[in-house]
Amino acid sequence: DRFGPVPQQTQDLINTIRLRRLARRLGFEKISLRNGLMTATFITNRDSAYYQSHIFSAVLQFIQIYHKNCRMKEVNDKLSLTFRDIDSVSKANQALVPLEELVDAGRQES
């Protein structure tokens, strides 16, 4: 508060770091925002324990619930989840909040 409000560039950087941390927690190796789409690429190793985990189960449940806003697809042996209408890092973070909540709920049940 001594130096005034946080500049927008700083807030954007903080939101970017949050998005990267959340993406890793949810099992995404890469996340990109382009042309109003957010694409989150899953772990490349198909033999990874991730695909048997409660996190991936929560992702599948999330897709069933929010099928109008996201789509899972495979291109060049890479599995990804694409979200529509995401034009900022803060919207990307907001889009992943319900998925994070499903993961947390699954963790509490285990």
Side-chain angles (χ1 to χ4, degrees):
D1 63 336
R2 291 184 189 185
F3 303 105
V6 175
Q8 187 59 45
Q9 295 89 341
T10 304
Q11 192 60 49
D12 290 344
L13 178 61
I14 291 168
N15 285 335
T16 300
I17 293 168
R18 282 184 184 143
L19 181 60
R20 285 182 182 172
R21 290 182 72 199
L22 180 54
R24 293 243 187 253
R25 182 172 178 248
L26 297 173
F28 301 126
E29 283 185 338
K30 180 181 174 186
I31 195 157
S32 65
L33 301 171
R34 283 192 202 110
N35 302 324
L37 294 175
M38 175 175 64
T39 303
T41 306
F42 289 96
I43 295 170
T44 307
N45 180 4
R46 293 297 177 107
D47 296 327
S48 170
Y50 168 76
Y51 291 104
Q52 309 305 319
S53 71
H54 80 278
I55 297 173
F56 189 66
S57 295
V59 170
L60 296 176
Q61 183 181 0
F62 175 84
I63 293 167
Q64 290 175 344
I65 296 168
Y66 296 97
H67 63 278
K68 292 182 181 180
N69 297 328
C70 66
R71 173 164 294 169
M72 184 182 281
K73 62 183 177 178
E74 183 177 9
V75 176
N76 298 330
D77 291 330
K78 292 184 179 181
L79 189 62
S80 65
L81 188 59
T82 303
F83 295 78
R84 297 182 305 144
D85 301 324
I86 306 293
D87 58 4
S88 69
V89 175
S90 64
K91 281 189 179 179
N93 277 310
Q94 291 172 0
L96 293 178
V97 167
L99 177 52
E100 182 180 33
E101 290 170 352
L102 283 173
V103 167
D104 289 344
R107 185 170 285 131
Q108 291 173 2
E109 289 175 9
S110 298

